[in-house]
Structures are given as structure tokens and as C-alpha cells.
Amino acid sequence: MLRADPGISGGPWGIAFASIVLDWDDDGDPDVYLCNDQGAEFAGNMVLLNDGAGHFSVGDAHGADLTLTCMSSTAVDADGDGRLDLHLTGTDRQHLLVEEDGAWVDVGAARGLPSMGGDRMPWGASGADLDNDGDIELVVATSEFTAPDAAGHPLELWVRGDDGLWHEEGQKRGLPQEAGTRAVLTPDINGDGVPDILASDFTRTPWLFTSTGCTAAYWFEVAAPPGTRVEVDAGGRTQTALVTRHPGMAATGPAIAHFGLGATDHVDRVRAWVPWYGEQVRAGPLPARQRLTWSPP
């Protein structure tokens, strides 16, 4: 359990299973969104706001303070509207929070993310553009609690269809259907410009699914400090991503934002809101298939 220290006032903060560092209130300094396990017994999800001097206190979550046994939290533009959404997992379902008129609304069930039955539950998750077409897919680990006779369950892959609903295609894409997956990462491990999938499994060694450069689509990456929000303008649309080392439960990856560009071979503009440094702009055209790295001036 997290306990108060001289830099944090007003605790305790519950049992944090995952957290997201981001500028929640757009004031230029990094804040923290906490994903808390056993929310009903201890404390639900919450936002800790930075006062600019490194001291944190509970802030207005604007509806994102769900009470659940939260396992994973991911900030990703799931619906492709150019704004970050919050994808959460906990107990028996996924939650997808989108911002509407300054408040967070859970649209997960309405958009096709179903509840889970029996002893199966979602654990870690990661959002990534696995085919570089400009749309995010959701990779979600599901399994039971650790037990000698635990049944196997799917490593799910959710794809947003033209109807705006999410459809599960894990088996179709070759992901295991009888596994005990927990944490998920989606970095480009083999360096071919396409995100890969790394998932832990409490019943065996981790699963690693690598691409083989299987798409001719273009891509662009931005490396920056964790908590940086990046907007990329390319092909007439704006994509948004959060640079983070912690995309979900018990997972740590490189602080890189990956953007699929489809058939567009260049980026028109990159805007980044870097904690403590504010807005940074790089004008294009910038050739695709490269990584832009931000460093302090």
C-alpha cells in the first residue's frame, strides 16, 4: 500500500496496481492517475495533482475515479479522435473512459467490450497500432488467479471496426487461447517498425510474438520523457499518444510513442507537451520510418 511521505498529503492512497504519469490538469507539471486494486475496501482510482513543487494531493478526477479491483490503466487514443482515452481492466471487465464535456464517461460496454464470466478476469493491457494503419488495437491479458488447476484463457486482441464497436480477433491473429497471461507490452522489439507483443504467463515462460515487417505501411516514433503528450499531424489527421514507461499492470517498457501512418510517407508537424518544459514543436515535412528524440535545450 502507498503511504504518505513529505511530498504527498492526505493519504492513504489505496493499493496501486498501475499508475499513469501525465499532465492531468494541463498546467505543465506531471500528475499521477492511480489504478487501485481492492477499491471497495481501501480506495478507488484517483488523481494526484502536482502543485508544481513536487507535492501531491488528491484532485478532481472528473468521473475517472472508478471503484474497482483495478489491474491495469492505459492512456491511449482508442477511438482515433485525437484525444487520449483511459482503458482500465478490473475484476470481470474492461472499462473505456472517453472525455465528454470535461467529464470522463465509461463507454466500454456500449462499444462492445463485454464482461467476463466464471473465474476469468482481465489483467494487463496495452494499446498499440499493430499494423501501422493509424488505428489502435487493444491487447488484453486474461486468466484466473494462480492455482495448480487453473484453466487456460485467451490473450485477447481487440480491433475497432467501421461500426465503432470493438471486436475480438486474438484467435484469428494467432494469439494463444489456453494461457495464463498477466502483464502485456507492445514495443517494437525486433526493430522492423511494427509493434510486437510480449506477455507474461504465470504458468510458463513469457509469450513473444514478433512481426516480420509484414506491412508496407509507414510509421513514425517520438522518444521523450515519460508523461509527454505527443500530437502528430500526417495525412490530414491528428494522432495523439502518451509517452510512458508503464503501459499497464506490472510492466515497464521504453518511453517511446509509436504512430502508424498508413500510406502517408511523411509527418507534417509534431507537437509535444513535455513536463516542466511546455509545448515543443517540430515542423515538417519529416520523413516517415524514423524516431524523433527530444532532449532538453
PDB file of all heavy atoms in Angstrom, residues 1 12-15 36-44 46:
ATOM      1  N   MET A   1       0.849  -1.191   0.000  1.00  0.00           N
ATOM      2  CA  MET A   1       0.000   0.000   0.000  1.00  0.00           C
ATOM      3  C   MET A   1       0.885   1.242   0.000  1.00  0.00           C
ATOM      4  O   MET A   1       1.877   1.306   0.729  1.00  0.00           O
ATOM      5  CB  MET A   1      -0.902  -0.001   1.232  1.00  0.00           C
ATOM      6  CG  MET A   1      -1.829   1.213   1.340  1.00  0.00           C
ATOM      7  SD  MET A   1      -2.809   1.183   2.859  1.00  0.00           S
ATOM      8  CE  MET A   1      -3.762  -0.300   2.595  1.00  0.00           C
ATOM      9  N   PRO A  12      -4.261   7.675   3.148  1.00  0.00           N
ATOM     10  CA  PRO A  12      -3.567   6.732   2.262  1.00  0.00           C
ATOM     11  C   PRO A  12      -4.176   6.689   0.867  1.00  0.00           C
ATOM     12  O   PRO A  12      -5.277   7.195   0.649  1.00  0.00           O
ATOM     13  CB  PRO A  12      -3.758   5.396   2.981  1.00  0.00           C
ATOM     14  CG  PRO A  12      -5.084   5.550   3.674  1.00  0.00           C
ATOM     15  CD  PRO A  12      -5.140   6.997   4.105  1.00  0.00           C
ATOM     16  N   TRP A  13      -3.439   6.048  -0.044  1.00  0.00           N
ATOM     17  CA  TRP A  13      -3.821   6.127  -1.448  1.00  0.00           C
ATOM     18  C   TRP A  13      -4.335   4.813  -2.011  1.00  0.00           C
ATOM     19  O   TRP A  13      -4.502   4.689  -3.205  1.00  0.00           O
ATOM     20  CB  TRP A  13      -2.617   6.599  -2.270  1.00  0.00           C
ATOM     21  CG  TRP A  13      -2.039   7.860  -1.721  1.00  0.00           C
ATOM     22  CD1 TRP A  13      -0.807   8.031  -1.171  1.00  0.00           C
ATOM     23  CD2 TRP A  13      -2.692   9.118  -1.613  1.00  0.00           C
ATOM     24  NE1 TRP A  13      -0.648   9.323  -0.735  1.00  0.00           N
ATOM     25  CE2 TRP A  13      -1.794  10.010  -0.995  1.00  0.00           C
ATOM     26  CE3 TRP A  13      -3.953   9.577  -1.978  1.00  0.00           C
ATOM     27  CZ2 TRP A  13      -2.118  11.334  -0.735  1.00  0.00           C
ATOM     28  CZ3 TRP A  13      -4.275  10.897  -1.719  1.00  0.00           C
ATOM     29  CH2 TRP A  13      -3.363  11.758  -1.111  1.00  0.00           C
ATOM     30  N   GLY A  14      -4.586   3.821  -1.179  1.00  0.00           N
ATOM     31  CA  GLY A  14      -5.096   2.557  -1.677  1.00  0.00           C
ATOM     32  C   GLY A  14      -3.982   1.631  -2.103  1.00  0.00           C
ATOM     33  O   GLY A  14      -2.809   1.849  -1.818  1.00  0.00           O
ATOM     34  N   ILE A  15      -4.374   0.576  -2.813  1.00  0.00           N
ATOM     35  CA  ILE A  15      -3.421  -0.425  -3.271  1.00  0.00           C
ATOM     36  C   ILE A  15      -3.213  -0.214  -4.770  1.00  0.00           C
ATOM     37  O   ILE A  15      -4.005  -0.661  -5.595  1.00  0.00           O
ATOM     38  CB  ILE A  15      -3.927  -1.846  -2.988  1.00  0.00           C
ATOM     39  CG1 ILE A  15      -4.187  -2.021  -1.486  1.00  0.00           C
ATOM     40  CG2 ILE A  15      -2.947  -2.895  -3.486  1.00  0.00           C
ATOM     41  CD1 ILE A  15      -4.745  -3.353  -1.105  1.00  0.00           C
ATOM     42  N   ASN A  36      -6.202   1.521  -8.604  1.00  0.00           N
ATOM     43  CA  ASN A  36      -6.127   0.864  -7.298  1.00  0.00           C
ATOM     44  C   ASN A  36      -6.872  -0.465  -7.246  1.00  0.00           C
ATOM     45  O   ASN A  36      -8.050  -0.545  -7.597  1.00  0.00           O
ATOM     46  CB  ASN A  36      -6.689   1.778  -6.211  1.00  0.00           C
ATOM     47  CG  ASN A  36      -5.723   2.880  -5.822  1.00  0.00           C
ATOM     48  OD1 ASN A  36      -4.512   2.692  -5.861  1.00  0.00           O
ATOM     49  ND2 ASN A  36      -6.253   4.035  -5.452  1.00  0.00           N
ATOM     50  N   ASP A  37      -6.175  -1.489  -6.782  1.00  0.00           N
ATOM     51  CA  ASP A  37      -6.794  -2.788  -6.506  1.00  0.00           C
ATOM     52  C   ASP A  37      -7.632  -2.682  -5.234  1.00  0.00           C
ATOM     53  O   ASP A  37      -7.416  -1.796  -4.396  1.00  0.00           O
ATOM     54  CB  ASP A  37      -5.678  -3.827  -6.361  1.00  0.00           C
ATOM     55  CG  ASP A  37      -6.198  -5.246  -6.265  1.00  0.00           C
ATOM     56  OD1 ASP A  37      -7.396  -5.475  -6.565  1.00  0.00           O
ATOM     57  OD2 ASP A  37      -5.417  -6.136  -5.889  1.00  0.00           O
ATOM     58  N   GLN A  38      -8.626  -3.575  -5.105  1.00  0.00           N
ATOM     59  CA  GLN A  38      -9.478  -3.651  -3.921  1.00  0.00           C
ATOM     60  C   GLN A  38     -10.046  -2.275  -3.559  1.00  0.00           C
ATOM     61  O   GLN A  38     -10.031  -1.842  -2.411  1.00  0.00           O
ATOM     62  CB  GLN A  38      -8.707  -4.251  -2.742  1.00  0.00           C
ATOM     63  CG  GLN A  38      -8.189  -5.659  -3.023  1.00  0.00           C
ATOM     64  CD  GLN A  38      -7.479  -6.273  -1.841  1.00  0.00           C
ATOM     65  OE1 GLN A  38      -7.973  -6.198  -0.708  1.00  0.00           O
ATOM     66  NE2 GLN A  38      -6.334  -6.887  -2.088  1.00  0.00           N
ATOM     67  N   GLY A  39     -10.581  -1.603  -4.581  1.00  0.00           N
ATOM     68  CA  GLY A  39     -11.069  -0.249  -4.386  1.00  0.00           C
ATOM     69  C   GLY A  39     -12.161  -0.128  -3.348  1.00  0.00           C
ATOM     70  O   GLY A  39     -12.203   0.855  -2.592  1.00  0.00           O
ATOM     71  N   ALA A  40     -13.063  -1.104  -3.282  1.00  0.00           N
ATOM     72  CA  ALA A  40     -14.172  -1.020  -2.328  1.00  0.00           C
ATOM     73  C   ALA A  40     -13.685  -1.097  -0.888  1.00  0.00           C
ATOM     74  O   ALA A  40     -14.298  -0.514   0.014  1.00  0.00           O
ATOM     75  CB  ALA A  40     -15.178  -2.139  -2.605  1.00  0.00           C
ATOM     76  N   GLU A  41     -12.582  -1.811  -0.647  1.00  0.00           N
ATOM     77  CA  GLU A  41     -12.075  -1.977   0.717  1.00  0.00           C
ATOM     78  C   GLU A  41     -11.126  -0.854   1.126  1.00  0.00           C
ATOM     79  O   GLU A  41     -11.053  -0.489   2.306  1.00  0.00           O
ATOM     80  CB  GLU A  41     -11.355  -3.317   0.872  1.00  0.00           C
ATOM     81  CG  GLU A  41     -12.244  -4.542   0.778  1.00  0.00           C
ATOM     82  CD  GLU A  41     -12.575  -4.934  -0.654  1.00  0.00           C
ATOM     83  OE1 GLU A  41     -11.935  -4.390  -1.591  1.00  0.00           O
ATOM     84  OE2 GLU A  41     -13.462  -5.784  -0.842  1.00  0.00           O
ATOM     85  N   PHE A  42     -10.378  -0.309   0.170  1.00  0.00           N
ATOM     86  CA  PHE A  42      -9.342   0.663   0.520  1.00  0.00           C
ATOM     87  C   PHE A  42      -9.604   2.027  -0.114  1.00  0.00           C
ATOM     88  O   PHE A  42      -9.985   2.966   0.559  1.00  0.00           O
ATOM     89  CB  PHE A  42      -7.967   0.119   0.124  1.00  0.00           C
ATOM     90  CG  PHE A  42      -7.578  -1.097   0.891  1.00  0.00           C
ATOM     91  CD1 PHE A  42      -7.815  -2.368   0.389  1.00  0.00           C
ATOM     92  CD2 PHE A  42      -6.997  -0.984   2.142  1.00  0.00           C
ATOM     93  CE1 PHE A  42      -7.469  -3.503   1.113  1.00  0.00           C
ATOM     94  CE2 PHE A  42      -6.645  -2.108   2.874  1.00  0.00           C
ATOM     95  CZ  PHE A  42      -6.888  -3.373   2.359  1.00  0.00           C
ATOM     96  N   ALA A  43      -9.411   2.148  -1.414  1.00  0.00           N
ATOM     97  CA  ALA A  43      -9.655   3.421  -2.089  1.00  0.00           C
ATOM     98  C   ALA A  43      -9.792   3.158  -3.574  1.00  0.00           C
ATOM     99  O   ALA A  43      -9.066   2.343  -4.140  1.00  0.00           O
ATOM    100  CB  ALA A  43      -8.525   4.412  -1.821  1.00  0.00           C
ATOM    101  N   GLY A  44     -10.732   3.844  -4.202  1.00  0.00           N
ATOM    102  CA  GLY A  44     -10.915   3.703  -5.639  1.00  0.00           C
ATOM    103  C   GLY A  44      -9.826   4.423  -6.415  1.00  0.00           C
ATOM    104  O   GLY A  44      -8.899   5.007  -5.842  1.00  0.00           O
ATOM    105  N   MET A  46      -7.872   7.244  -8.423  1.00  0.00           N
ATOM    106  CA  MET A  46      -7.820   8.665  -8.078  1.00  0.00           C
ATOM    107  C   MET A  46      -6.714   9.367  -8.843  1.00  0.00           C
ATOM    108  O   MET A  46      -5.862   8.728  -9.471  1.00  0.00           O
ATOM    109  CB  MET A  46      -7.610   8.854  -6.576  1.00  0.00           C
ATOM    110  CG  MET A  46      -6.302   8.296  -6.050  1.00  0.00           C
ATOM    111  SD  MET A  46      -6.123   8.552  -4.247  1.00  0.00           S
ATOM    112  CE  MET A  46      -7.438   7.512  -3.615  1.00  0.00           C
TER     113      MET A  46
END
